[in-house]
Amino acid sequence: MKSIGEEIQQSEFSDVYQELGINILFTAAWFGERNRLALKDYDISLPQFNVLRILRGQKGQPISVAGLCDRMIDKSSNASRIVDKLEARKLVSRRVCDKDRRQVDVVITDKGTSILEELNEKVPSFKTIMAKQLSTKDAEVLNFALDQIRNQK
Amino acid sequence: MKSIGEEIQQSEFSDVYQELGINILFTAAWFGERNRLALKDYDISLPQFNVLRILRGQKGQPISVAGLCDRMIDKSSNASRIVDKLEARKLVSRRVCDKDRRQVDVVITDKGTSILEELNEKVPSFKTIMAKQLSTKDAEVLNFALDQIRNQK
DNA sequence: GTACATTTAATGTATGTACATATATTTGCA
DNA sequence: TGCAAATATATGTACATACATTAAATGTAC
């Protein structure tokens, strides 16, 4: 099995926390590459895929562009332009919100939903990727540890 | 303390592995944002910073562009162009390798080394970020788990 | 030794990101 | 009401990424 040190050919880290930081970054990038590869044939970028999944999670309820930003992993990505691309392909639709006409309501279309279903078969779920090596107990412990890492002064 | 579900306002995940996957991606992005903020004043991008650190790790020994790619976290980033920017600011130097004239040897300059020293004071180390919430033992366990996740068929 | 394949780096192009600014709408308050 | 401040989205820009292609050097088969 390749350790993170072998992966990036770094023989030693200054300490185990440094190793862990790099390991988290590298593992995230590794997930990204896997998913990008799976999406390639459909000409859908990773952020586009994520937006579609957030919209599906809304179960038909519209969400504003700012709401999308809040739920996106990469906070600085430009949700407005990602929605542009998706709208151009009719995978989502956009409508000015009646109650607050500054807001724009975004919803996934039927076409978007059906593409997403196809994609879900191609993109391996995190469960598929991790369940063999990690018990649910392990996963819970990891989740707790990551939550803790981000919650420091 | 905010869990990952609270961070991205997702009330429920399909399973704990899905939650963990998102958690890893989100934590990596969170690290990235912190570092980018710290580097902003120096007008050095994250990948540029990473390249400088790889070069410093070489302890004066030159490395090829392909060698940089291997050691970089984001495999698809264009090392050639990142080196362009660094060379333009005289933080690294580039020279055709004598033994194999297809290769280019990259080394960090004194100016690059001294900027990197400054940056290391500004950019919080992973140890600083994580040591309070995580024992070294915990960190070791996490490292092992992440290595395992990436090493599946 | 020539011809072809492989390797290394650079470049071209489309898209995405980071960050500032612009535009429209709503809110708060004198 | 009228007007400044705040909010929501879109847009402008420079740079970075993803991926294909090009150009030069080296390796290999004949």
Short mmCIF file of all heavy atoms in Angstrom, two decimals, chain C residues 5-25:
data_model
loop_
_atom_site.label_atom_id
_atom_site.label_comp_id
_atom_site.label_asym_id
_atom_site.label_seq_id
_atom_site.Cartn_x
_atom_site.Cartn_y
_atom_site.Cartn_z
P DA C 5 5.60 4.85 -35.75
OP1 DA C 5 4.49 3.89 -35.99
OP2 DA C 5 5.43 6.28 -36.10
"O5'" DA C 5 5.99 4.73 -34.22
"C5'" DA C 5 6.50 3.50 -33.72
"C4'" DA C 5 7.07 3.71 -32.33
"O4'" DA C 5 8.23 4.58 -32.41
"C3'" DA C 5 6.11 4.38 -31.35
"O3'" DA C 5 6.18 3.69 -30.11
"C2'" DA C 5 6.62 5.81 -31.25
"C1'" DA C 5 8.10 5.65 -31.50
N9 DA C 5 8.76 6.82 -32.11
C8 DA C 5 8.41 7.45 -33.28
N7 DA C 5 9.19 8.46 -33.59
C5 DA C 5 10.12 8.48 -32.56
C6 DA C 5 11.22 9.31 -32.30
N6 DA C 5 11.59 10.32 -33.11
N1 DA C 5 11.94 9.08 -31.18
C2 DA C 5 11.58 8.07 -30.38
N3 DA C 5 10.56 7.21 -30.53
C4 DA C 5 9.86 7.48 -31.65
P DT C 6 5.25 4.12 -28.88
OP1 DT C 6 4.91 2.88 -28.13
OP2 DT C 6 4.18 5.01 -29.39
"O5'" DT C 6 6.23 4.97 -27.97
"C5'" DT C 6 7.49 4.39 -27.59
"C4'" DT C 6 8.26 5.40 -26.75
"O4'" DT C 6 8.80 6.44 -27.61
"C3'" DT C 6 7.43 6.10 -25.67
"O3'" DT C 6 8.12 5.96 -24.44
"C2'" DT C 6 7.36 7.55 -26.16
"C1'" DT C 6 8.65 7.68 -26.96
N1 DT C 6 8.67 8.72 -28.04
C2 DT C 6 9.72 9.60 -28.08
O2 DT C 6 10.64 9.61 -27.28
N3 DT C 6 9.68 10.50 -29.12
C4 DT C 6 8.70 10.60 -30.09
O4 DT C 6 8.78 11.46 -30.97
C5 DT C 6 7.62 9.65 -29.98
C7 DT C 6 6.50 9.67 -30.97
C6 DT C 6 7.65 8.76 -28.97
P DT C 7 7.49 6.44 -23.04
OP1 DT C 7 7.90 5.49 -21.99
OP2 DT C 7 6.06 6.75 -23.27
"O5'" DT C 7 8.27 7.80 -22.78
"C5'" DT C 7 9.68 7.79 -22.72
"C4'" DT C 7 10.21 9.19 -22.68
"O4'" DT C 7 10.00 9.85 -23.95
"C3'" DT C 7 9.54 10.09 -21.63
"O3'" DT C 7 10.55 10.67 -20.85
"C2'" DT C 7 8.77 11.12 -22.45
"C1'" DT C 7 9.62 11.17 -23.71
N1 DT C 7 8.93 11.65 -24.94
C2 DT C 7 9.55 12.63 -25.69
O2 DT C 7 10.61 13.13 -25.38
N3 DT C 7 8.87 13.00 -26.82
C4 DT C 7 7.66 12.50 -27.27
O4 DT C 7 7.15 12.91 -28.30
C5 DT C 7 7.08 11.47 -26.43
C7 DT C 7 5.76 10.86 -26.82
C6 DT C 7 7.74 11.10 -25.32
P DT C 8 10.24 11.42 -19.47
OP1 DT C 8 11.33 11.09 -18.55
OP2 DT C 8 8.83 11.15 -19.12
"O5'" DT C 8 10.36 12.95 -19.86
"C5'" DT C 8 11.62 13.51 -20.24
"C4'" DT C 8 11.39 14.94 -20.67
"O4'" DT C 8 10.73 14.94 -21.94
"C3'" DT C 8 10.50 15.75 -19.73
"O3'" DT C 8 11.28 16.79 -19.14
"C2'" DT C 8 9.38 16.30 -20.61
"C1'" DT C 8 9.91 16.07 -22.01
N1 DT C 8 8.86 15.75 -23.03
C2 DT C 8 8.87 16.43 -24.23
O2 DT C 8 9.69 17.28 -24.50
N3 DT C 8 7.87 16.06 -25.09
C4 DT C 8 6.89 15.11 -24.88
O4 DT C 8 6.06 14.87 -25.74
C5 DT C 8 6.95 14.44 -23.60
C7 DT C 8 5.92 13.40 -23.27
C6 DT C 8 7.91 14.78 -22.74
P DA C 9 10.65 17.76 -18.02
OP1 DA C 9 11.74 18.28 -17.20
OP2 DA C 9 9.50 17.08 -17.40
"O5'" DA C 9 10.11 18.96 -18.92
"C5'" DA C 9 11.08 19.66 -19.70
"C4'" DA C 9 10.39 20.57 -20.70
"O4'" DA C 9 9.55 19.81 -21.58
"C3'" DA C 9 9.48 21.65 -20.09
"O3'" DA C 9 10.09 22.90 -20.36
"C2'" DA C 9 8.13 21.47 -20.76
"C1'" DA C 9 8.45 20.57 -21.95
N9 DA C 9 7.40 19.61 -22.30
C8 DA C 9 6.89 18.61 -21.51
N7 DA C 9 5.97 17.89 -22.11
C5 DA C 9 5.84 18.46 -23.36
C6 DA C 9 5.02 18.16 -24.47
N6 DA C 9 4.13 17.16 -24.47
N1 DA C 9 5.16 18.94 -25.56
C2 DA C 9 6.06 19.94 -25.55
N3 DA C 9 6.89 20.32 -24.57
C4 DA C 9 6.72 19.53 -23.50
P DA C 10 9.37 24.31 -19.99
OP1 DA C 10 10.45 25.31 -19.92
OP2 DA C 10 8.47 24.10 -18.84
"O5'" DA C 10 8.49 24.64 -21.28
"C5'" DA C 10 9.13 24.74 -22.53
"C4'" DA C 10 8.12 25.04 -23.62
"O4'" DA C 10 7.26 23.89 -23.81
"C3'" DA C 10 7.19 26.23 -23.35
"O3'" DA C 10 7.16 27.03 -24.52
"C2'" DA C 10 5.84 25.58 -23.06
"C1'" DA C 10 5.92 24.32 -23.92
N9 DA C 10 5.11 23.20 -23.47
C8 DA C 10 5.11 22.62 -22.22
N7 DA C 10 4.28 21.61 -22.10
C5 DA C 10 3.70 21.51 -23.35
C6 DA C 10 2.73 20.63 -23.88
N6 DA C 10 2.18 19.65 -23.16
N1 DA C 10 2.36 20.81 -25.17
C2 DA C 10 2.94 21.80 -25.88
N3 DA C 10 3.85 22.68 -25.49
C4 DA C 10 4.19 22.48 -24.21
P DT C 11 6.40 28.43 -24.60
OP1 DT C 11 7.16 29.29 -25.53
OP2 DT C 11 6.10 28.88 -23.23
"O5'" DT C 11 5.03 28.04 -25.31
"C5'" DT C 11 5.07 27.52 -26.63
"C4'" DT C 11 3.67 27.16 -27.09
"O4'" DT C 11 3.19 25.99 -26.37
"C3'" DT C 11 2.61 28.25 -26.89
"O3'" DT C 11 1.86 28.32 -28.09
"C2'" DT C 11 1.77 27.70 -25.74
"C1'" DT C 11 1.84 26.22 -26.03
N1 DT C 11 1.53 25.30 -24.93
C2 DT C 11 0.65 24.27 -25.17
O2 DT C 11 0.13 24.08 -26.26
N3 DT C 11 0.41 23.44 -24.09
C4 DT C 11 0.95 23.56 -22.83
O4 DT C 11 0.65 22.76 -21.95
C5 DT C 11 1.85 24.67 -22.64
C7 DT C 11 2.47 24.89 -21.30
C6 DT C 11 2.08 25.46 -23.67
P DG C 12 1.07 29.66 -28.50
OP1 DG C 12 1.77 30.26 -29.64
OP2 DG C 12 0.81 30.44 -27.28
"O5'" DG C 12 -0.33 29.08 -29.01
"C5'" DG C 12 -0.41 27.77 -29.58
"C4'" DG C 12 -1.86 27.30 -29.64
"O4'" DG C 12 -2.11 26.34 -28.57
"C3'" DG C 12 -2.90 28.40 -29.46
"O3'" DG C 12 -4.01 28.08 -30.29
"C2'" DG C 12 -3.26 28.31 -27.98
"C1'" DG C 12 -3.13 26.81 -27.71
N9 DG C 12 -2.72 26.45 -26.36
C8 DG C 12 -1.74 27.03 -25.60
N7 DG C 12 -1.58 26.46 -24.43
C5 DG C 12 -2.53 25.45 -24.41
C6 DG C 12 -2.83 24.49 -23.41
O6 DG C 12 -2.30 24.35 -22.30
N1 DG C 12 -3.86 23.65 -23.80
C2 DG C 12 -4.51 23.71 -25.01
N2 DG C 12 -5.48 22.82 -25.21
N3 DG C 12 -4.24 24.60 -25.95
C4 DG C 12 -3.24 25.43 -25.59
P DT C 13 -5.25 29.08 -30.44
OP1 DT C 13 -5.73 28.92 -31.81
OP2 DT C 13 -4.88 30.41 -29.92
"O5'" DT C 13 -6.34 28.45 -29.46
"C5'" DT C 13 -6.70 27.08 -29.63
"C4'" DT C 13 -7.80 26.73 -28.64
"O4'" DT C 13 -7.21 26.30 -27.39
"C3'" DT C 13 -8.74 27.89 -28.29
"O3'" DT C 13 -10.06 27.40 -28.27
"C2'" DT C 13 -8.28 28.32 -26.91
"C1'" DT C 13 -7.85 26.98 -26.33
N1 DT C 13 -6.90 27.04 -25.20
C2 DT C 13 -6.97 26.06 -24.23
O2 DT C 13 -7.79 25.17 -24.26
N3 DT C 13 -6.05 26.18 -23.21
C4 DT C 13 -5.09 27.15 -23.08
O4 DT C 13 -4.32 27.14 -22.12
C5 DT C 13 -5.06 28.16 -24.13
C7 DT C 13 -4.06 29.26 -24.07
C6 DT C 13 -5.96 28.04 -25.13
P DA C 14 -11.35 28.35 -28.35
OP1 DA C 14 -12.03 28.12 -29.63
OP2 DA C 14 -10.98 29.72 -27.93
"O5'" DA C 14 -12.27 27.71 -27.20
"C5'" DA C 14 -12.38 26.29 -27.12
"C4'" DA C 14 -12.74 25.90 -25.71
"O4'" DA C 14 -11.57 26.02 -24.87
"C3'" DA C 14 -13.82 26.80 -25.07
"O3'" DA C 14 -14.80 25.96 -24.47
"C2'" DA C 14 -13.05 27.65 -24.06
"C1'" DA C 14 -11.90 26.71 -23.68
N9 DA C 14 -10.71 27.40 -23.22
C8 DA C 14 -10.12 28.51 -23.77
N7 DA C 14 -9.04 28.91 -23.13
C5 DA C 14 -8.93 28.01 -22.09
C6 DA C 14 -8.00 27.89 -21.05
N6 DA C 14 -6.96 28.71 -20.86
N1 DA C 14 -8.16 26.88 -20.17
C2 DA C 14 -9.20 26.05 -20.34
N3 DA C 14 -10.13 26.06 -21.28
C4 DA C 14 -9.94 27.08 -22.13
P DT C 15 -16.14 26.66 -23.84
OP1 DT C 15 -17.26 25.80 -24.22
OP2 DT C 15 -16.15 28.11 -24.11
"O5'" DT C 15 -15.88 26.47 -22.27
"C5'" DT C 15 -15.51 25.20 -21.78
"C4'" DT C 15 -14.91 25.35 -20.40
"O4'" DT C 15 -13.68 26.10 -20.48
"C3'" DT C 15 -15.81 26.10 -19.42
"O3'" DT C 15 -16.05 25.23 -18.33
"C2'" DT C 15 -14.98 27.32 -19.02
"C1'" DT C 15 -13.56 26.85 -19.30
N1 DT C 15 -12.57 27.93 -19.53
C2 DT C 15 -11.46 27.98 -18.70
O2 DT C 15 -11.26 27.19 -17.80
N3 DT C 15 -10.58 29.01 -18.98
C4 DT C 15 -10.70 29.96 -19.97
O4 DT C 15 -9.84 30.82 -20.12
C5 DT C 15 -11.89 29.85 -20.80
C7 DT C 15 -12.12 30.83 -21.90
C6 DT C 15 -12.74 28.85 -20.54
P DG C 16 -16.97 25.71 -17.07
OP1 DG C 16 -17.69 24.51 -16.59
OP2 DG C 16 -17.71 26.95 -17.43
"O5'" DG C 16 -15.88 26.10 -15.98
"C5'" DG C 16 -14.90 25.15 -15.58
"C4'" DG C 16 -14.08 25.72 -14.44
"O4'" DG C 16 -13.15 26.69 -14.98
"C3'" DG C 16 -14.89 26.44 -13.38
"O3'" DG C 16 -14.42 26.04 -12.10
"C2'" DG C 16 -14.63 27.92 -13.66
"C1'" DG C 16 -13.25 27.91 -14.29
N9 DG C 16 -13.00 28.96 -15.27
C8 DG C 16 -13.75 29.26 -16.38
N7 DG C 16 -13.27 30.25 -17.09
C5 DG C 16 -12.13 30.63 -16.39
C6 DG C 16 -11.20 31.66 -16.68
O6 DG C 16 -11.19 32.46 -17.62
N1 DG C 16 -10.20 31.72 -15.71
C2 DG C 16 -10.10 30.89 -14.62
N2 DG C 16 -9.07 31.09 -13.80
N3 DG C 16 -10.97 29.92 -14.35
C4 DG C 16 -11.96 29.86 -15.27
P DT C 17 -14.97 26.66 -10.76
OP1 DT C 17 -14.94 25.60 -9.75
OP2 DT C 17 -16.21 27.40 -11.02
"O5'" DT C 17 -13.84 27.70 -10.37
"C5'" DT C 17 -12.50 27.24 -10.28
"C4'" DT C 17 -11.61 28.36 -9.80
"O4'" DT C 17 -11.47 29.34 -10.85
"C3'" DT C 17 -12.13 29.11 -8.57
"O3'" DT C 17 -11.02 29.29 -7.71
"C2'" DT C 17 -12.66 30.42 -9.16
"C1'" DT C 17 -11.70 30.64 -10.33
N1 DT C 17 -12.18 31.44 -11.47
C2 DT C 17 -11.39 32.48 -11.93
O2 DT C 17 -10.33 32.77 -11.42
N3 DT C 17 -11.90 33.16 -13.02
C4 DT C 17 -13.08 32.91 -13.67
O4 DT C 17 -13.43 33.59 -14.63
C5 DT C 17 -13.86 31.81 -13.14
C7 DT C 17 -15.16 31.48 -13.77
C6 DT C 17 -13.38 31.14 -12.08
P DA C 18 -11.21 29.98 -6.27
OP1 DA C 18 -10.22 29.37 -5.37
OP2 DA C 18 -12.64 29.99 -5.92
"O5'" DA C 18 -10.75 31.46 -6.58
"C5'" DA C 18 -9.38 31.74 -6.80
"C4'" DA C 18 -9.16 33.23 -6.75
"O4'" DA C 18 -9.74 33.83 -7.92
"C3'" DA C 18 -9.79 33.93 -5.55
"O3'" DA C 18 -8.86 34.87 -5.07
"C2'" DA C 18 -11.05 34.60 -6.14
"C1'" DA C 18 -10.61 34.89 -7.56
N9 DA C 18 -11.67 34.88 -8.57
C8 DA C 18 -12.77 34.06 -8.62
N7 DA C 18 -13.53 34.26 -9.67
C5 DA C 18 -12.89 35.28 -10.36
C6 DA C 18 -13.18 35.94 -11.56
N6 DA C 18 -14.25 35.67 -12.30
N1 DA C 18 -12.32 36.90 -11.97
C2 DA C 18 -11.24 37.16 -11.22
N3 DA C 18 -10.86 36.61 -10.08
C4 DA C 18 -11.74 35.66 -9.69
P DC C 19 -9.14 35.63 -3.69
OP1 DC C 19 -7.85 35.88 -3.05
OP2 DC C 19 -10.23 34.98 -2.97
"O5'" DC C 19 -9.69 37.03 -4.24
"C5'" DC C 19 -8.87 37.78 -5.14
"C4'" DC C 19 -9.69 38.87 -5.78
"O4'" DC C 19 -10.59 38.33 -6.77
"C3'" DC C 19 -10.59 39.66 -4.81
"O3'" DC C 19 -10.25 41.02 -4.91
"C2'" DC C 19 -11.98 39.41 -5.32
"C1'" DC C 19 -11.69 39.18 -6.80
N1 DC C 19 -12.81 38.54 -7.55
C2 DC C 19 -13.07 39.01 -8.83
O2 DC C 19 -12.35 39.90 -9.30
N3 DC C 19 -14.09 38.47 -9.54
C4 DC C 19 -14.84 37.50 -9.00
N4 DC C 19 -15.82 37.01 -9.72
C5 DC C 19 -14.58 37.01 -7.68
C6 DC C 19 -13.55 37.55 -6.99
P DA C 20 -10.80 42.13 -3.86
OP1 DA C 20 -9.64 42.64 -3.12
OP2 DA C 20 -11.98 41.60 -3.16
"O5'" DA C 20 -11.29 43.26 -4.87
"C5'" DA C 20 -10.46 43.61 -5.97
"C4'" DA C 20 -11.31 44.25 -7.05
"O4'" DA C 20 -12.15 43.26 -7.68
"C3'" DA C 20 -12.24 45.36 -6.54
"O3'" DA C 20 -12.06 46.52 -7.33
"C2'" DA C 20 -13.64 44.77 -6.68
"C1'" DA C 20 -13.46 43.75 -7.81
N9 DA C 20 -14.37 42.61 -7.73
C8 DA C 20 -14.51 41.73 -6.68
N7 DA C 20 -15.41 40.79 -6.88
C5 DA C 20 -15.88 41.07 -8.16
C6 DA C 20 -16.86 40.44 -8.96
N6 DA C 20 -17.55 39.37 -8.58
N1 DA C 20 -17.11 40.98 -10.19
C2 DA C 20 -16.40 42.06 -10.57
N3 DA C 20 -15.46 42.74 -9.90
C4 DA C 20 -15.26 42.18 -8.69
P DT C 21 -12.80 47.89 -6.95
OP1 DT C 21 -11.94 49.00 -7.37
OP2 DT C 21 -13.32 47.79 -5.58
"O5'" DT C 21 -14.06 47.86 -7.94
"C5'" DT C 21 -13.82 47.63 -9.32
"C4'" DT C 21 -15.15 47.45 -10.03
"O4'" DT C 21 -15.73 46.18 -9.68
"C3'" DT C 21 -16.21 48.51 -9.68
"O3'" DT C 21 -16.57 49.15 -10.89
"C2'" DT C 21 -17.35 47.71 -9.07
"C1'" DT C 21 -17.13 46.33 -9.65
N1 DT C 21 -17.67 45.20 -8.86
C2 DT C 21 -18.59 44.36 -9.45
O2 DT C 21 -18.98 44.50 -10.60
N3 DT C 21 -19.03 43.33 -8.65
C4 DT C 21 -18.66 43.07 -7.35
O4 DT C 21 -19.14 42.12 -6.75
C5 DT C 21 -17.70 44.00 -6.78
C7 DT C 21 -17.24 43.80 -5.38
C6 DT C 21 -17.26 44.99 -7.56
P DA C 22 -17.71 50.29 -10.92
OP1 DA C 22 -17.33 51.27 -11.95
OP2 DA C 22 -17.99 50.73 -9.53
"O5'" DA C 22 -18.96 49.48 -11.45
"C5'" DA C 22 -18.84 48.77 -12.69
"C4'" DA C 22 -20.19 48.18 -13.07
"O4'" DA C 22 -20.49 47.07 -12.20
"C3'" DA C 22 -21.38 49.14 -12.95
"O3'" DA C 22 -22.25 48.88 -14.04
"C2'" DA C 22 -22.01 48.76 -11.61
"C1'" DA C 22 -21.75 47.26 -11.59
N9 DA C 22 -21.65 46.66 -10.26
C8 DA C 22 -20.85 47.04 -9.23
N7 DA C 22 -20.95 46.29 -8.16
C5 DA C 22 -21.89 45.33 -8.52
C6 DA C 22 -22.44 44.24 -7.83
N6 DA C 22 -22.10 43.90 -6.59
N1 DA C 22 -23.36 43.49 -8.48
C2 DA C 22 -23.69 43.83 -9.74
N3 DA C 22 -23.24 44.83 -10.48
C4 DA C 22 -22.33 45.55 -9.81
P DT C 23 -23.43 49.94 -14.38
OP1 DT C 23 -23.43 50.07 -15.84
OP2 DT C 23 -23.29 51.12 -13.49
"O5'" DT C 23 -24.74 49.15 -13.94
"C5'" DT C 23 -25.01 47.86 -14.50
"C4'" DT C 23 -26.21 47.27 -13.81
"O4'" DT C 23 -25.82 46.71 -12.53
"C3'" DT C 23 -27.33 48.27 -13.52
"O3'" DT C 23 -28.55 47.74 -14.03
"C2'" DT C 23 -27.35 48.38 -12.00
"C1'" DT C 23 -26.83 47.01 -11.60
N1 DT C 23 -26.20 46.91 -10.25
C2 DT C 23 -26.52 45.83 -9.46
O2 DT C 23 -27.30 44.96 -9.81
N3 DT C 23 -25.90 45.80 -8.24
C4 DT C 23 -25.01 46.74 -7.75
O4 DT C 23 -24.52 46.61 -6.63
C5 DT C 23 -24.73 47.85 -8.63
C7 DT C 23 -23.78 48.92 -8.17
C6 DT C 23 -25.32 47.88 -9.82
P DA C 24 -29.89 48.64 -14.07
OP1 DA C 24 -30.43 48.53 -15.43
OP2 DA C 24 -29.62 49.96 -13.46
"O5'" DA C 24 -30.84 47.82 -13.08
"C5'" DA C 24 -30.92 46.41 -13.22
"C4'" DA C 24 -31.52 45.83 -11.96
"O4'" DA C 24 -30.55 45.90 -10.89
"C3'" DA C 24 -32.76 46.57 -11.46
"O3'" DA C 24 -33.79 45.62 -11.27
"C2'" DA C 24 -32.32 47.22 -10.15
"C1'" DA C 24 -31.19 46.30 -9.70
N9 DA C 24 -30.17 46.94 -8.87
C8 DA C 24 -29.46 48.08 -9.13
N7 DA C 24 -28.60 48.40 -8.19
C5 DA C 24 -28.75 47.40 -7.25
C6 DA C 24 -28.12 47.16 -6.00
N6 DA C 24 -27.17 47.94 -5.48
N1 DA C 24 -28.51 46.07 -5.31
C2 DA C 24 -29.46 45.28 -5.83
N3 DA C 24 -30.12 45.39 -6.99
C4 DA C 24 -29.71 46.49 -7.65
P DT C 25 -35.28 46.12 -10.88
OP1 DT C 25 -36.19 45.20 -11.57
OP2 DT C 25 -35.35 47.59 -11.07
"O5'" DT C 25 -35.36 45.82 -9.32
"C5'" DT C 25 -35.18 44.49 -8.87
"C4'" DT C 25 -35.03 44.50 -7.36
"O4'" DT C 25 -33.86 45.27 -7.01
"C3'" DT C 25 -36.18 45.13 -6.61
"O3'" DT C 25 -36.83 44.09 -5.89
"C2'" DT C 25 -35.54 46.17 -5.69
"C1'" DT C 25 -34.08 45.76 -5.71
N1 DT C 25 -33.07 46.84 -5.49
C2 DT C 25 -32.29 46.78 -4.37
O2 DT C 25 -32.39 45.90 -3.54
N3 DT C 25 -31.37 47.80 -4.25
C4 DT C 25 -31.18 48.85 -5.13
O4 DT C 25 -30.33 49.70 -4.92
C5 DT C 25 -32.04 48.85 -6.29
C7 DT C 25 -31.90 49.94 -7.30
C6 DT C 25 -32.93 47.85 -6.42
#
